[in-house]
């Protein structure tokens, strides 16, 4: 087994970084300087023609898209370690559902909020009404997640999985750029607190 993980801090690569640390499998981390254009270099584009991180190479085979990588890692390495539900179970279906929800529904709304409110986006490209609409949609999605976590400690029940790692990584980032306080969502707050107490998260967030 030979894994190489191409990443950049404070990007969607955090999702996969957390998963790798939870799994405890050996890997070589390659930190990419996105501002310098490392992701556009020919050798990297051979691995990921999208020119983005994260990218993971396992036994010579490259994979891209963080949600897909995390599912792959869960299926291959996580079941035996109790970090990913066995295929064909309801817990597996729920883990898949929340992983894709994070990568599609929540990310879509969050991206539209940031695009229409970020000081880094030129004023002529922003639309205040669209930004406000996206924020309401984003907050409504958090309402759904908060309700889901009302009576259980983790997304699929009593056990932490890589689905929790992926979504909690997203919430960690969203708190920096969209919702500094989770006071409106106490169940999400308690869940993220539990997730961030894990040694794997502490390793990736401090180093």
């Amino acid at each position: 087994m030979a894994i190489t993980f191409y990443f950049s801090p404070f990007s969607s690569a955090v999702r996969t970084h957390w998963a790798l640390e939870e799994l405890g499998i050996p890997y070589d981390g390659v930190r990419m300087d996105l501002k310098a254009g490392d992701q556009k270099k020919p050798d990297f584009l051979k691995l990921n023609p999208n020119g983005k991180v994260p990218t993971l190479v396992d036994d010579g085979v490259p994979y891209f898209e963080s949600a897909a990588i995390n599912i792959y890692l869960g299926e291959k390495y996580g079941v035996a370690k109790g970090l990913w539900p066995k295929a064909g179970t309801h817990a597996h279906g729920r883990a898949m559902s929340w992983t894709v929800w994070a990568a599609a529904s929540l990310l879509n709304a969050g991206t539209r909020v940031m695009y229409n409110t970020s000081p880094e986006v030129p004023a002529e490209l922003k639309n205040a009404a669209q930004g406000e609409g996206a924020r309401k949609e984003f907050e409504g999605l958090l309402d759904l997640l908060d309700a889901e976590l009302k009576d259980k400690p983790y997304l699929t029940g009593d056990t932490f999985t890589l689905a929790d790692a992926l979504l909690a990584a997203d919430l960690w980032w969203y708190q920096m750029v969209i919702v500094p306080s989770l006071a409106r969502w106490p169940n999400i707050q308690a869940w993220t607190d539990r997730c961030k107490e894990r040694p794997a998260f502490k390793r990736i967030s401090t180093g």
Side-chain angles (χ1 to χ4, degrees):
M1 178 178 64
I3 293 178
T4 304
F5 170 53
Y6 297 85
F7 72 100
S8 178
F10 303 107
S11 71
S12 58
V14 172
R15 296 166 158 181
T16 300
H17 200 175
W18 191 342
L20 286 167
E21 288 293 323
E22 288 285 351
L23 291 167
I25 53 180
Y27 66 93
D28 293 322
V30 179
R31 184 166 177 156
M32 306 287 284
D33 187 340
L34 303 185
K35 290 184 178 179
D38 285 353
Q39 75 279 21
K40 300 299 182 183
K41 292 180 179 178
D43 286 347
F44 183 74
L45 291 174
K46 290 178 182 178
L47 301 175
N48 185 347
N50 299 288
K52 296 181 179 180
V53 294
T55 296
L56 182 136
V57 180
D58 187 8
D59 288 332
V61 180
Y63 300 91
F64 50 83
E65 293 297 336
S66 55
I69 293 171
N70 279 32
I71 291 170
Y72 166 78
L73 290 172
E75 300 285 306
K76 186 172 182 179
Y77 303 106
V79 177
K81 293 177 179 289
L83 287 165
W84 191 253
K86 184 179 179 180
T89 64
H90 291 304
H92 180 268
R94 298 295 287 173
M96 293 281 284
S97 292
W98 285 109
T99 295
V100 175
W101 180 86
S105 299
L106 192 63
L107 179 62
N108 179 282
T111 298
R112 285 184 282 117
V113 173
M114 290 183 287
Y115 185 85
N116 286 292
T117 60
S118 172
E120 297 183 7
V121 176
E124 63 271 18
L125 298 179
K126 293 190 286 191
N127 183 303
Q130 289 184 11
E132 182 59 27
R135 182 175 292 279
K136 289 180 179 179
E137 180 182 344
F138 183 86
E139 292 177 349
L141 290 169
L142 292 189
D143 290 339
L144 295 178
L145 178 59
D146 196 68
E148 178 71 18
L149 292 166
K150 181 179 179 180
D151 297 316
K152 57 188 177 184
Y154 299 107
L155 290 170
T156 62
D158 293 330
T159 303
F160 175 93
T161 72
L162 298 186
D164 293 284
L166 184 143
L167 188 47
D170 285 1
L171 265 293
W172 180 52
W173 189 68
Y174 289 138
Q175 282 189 263
M176 300 181 203
V177 295
I178 299 179
V179 283
S181 172
L182 291 174
R184 171 175 161 180
W185 303 281
N187 299 317
I188 295 178
Q189 181 69 74
W191 164 74
T192 58
D193 288 345
R194 281 191 293 273
C195 292
K196 289 190 292 186
E197 281 300 310
R198 298 182 67 83
F201 175 78
K202 291 181 179 181
R203 288 195 294 274
I204 67 165
S205 62
T206 59

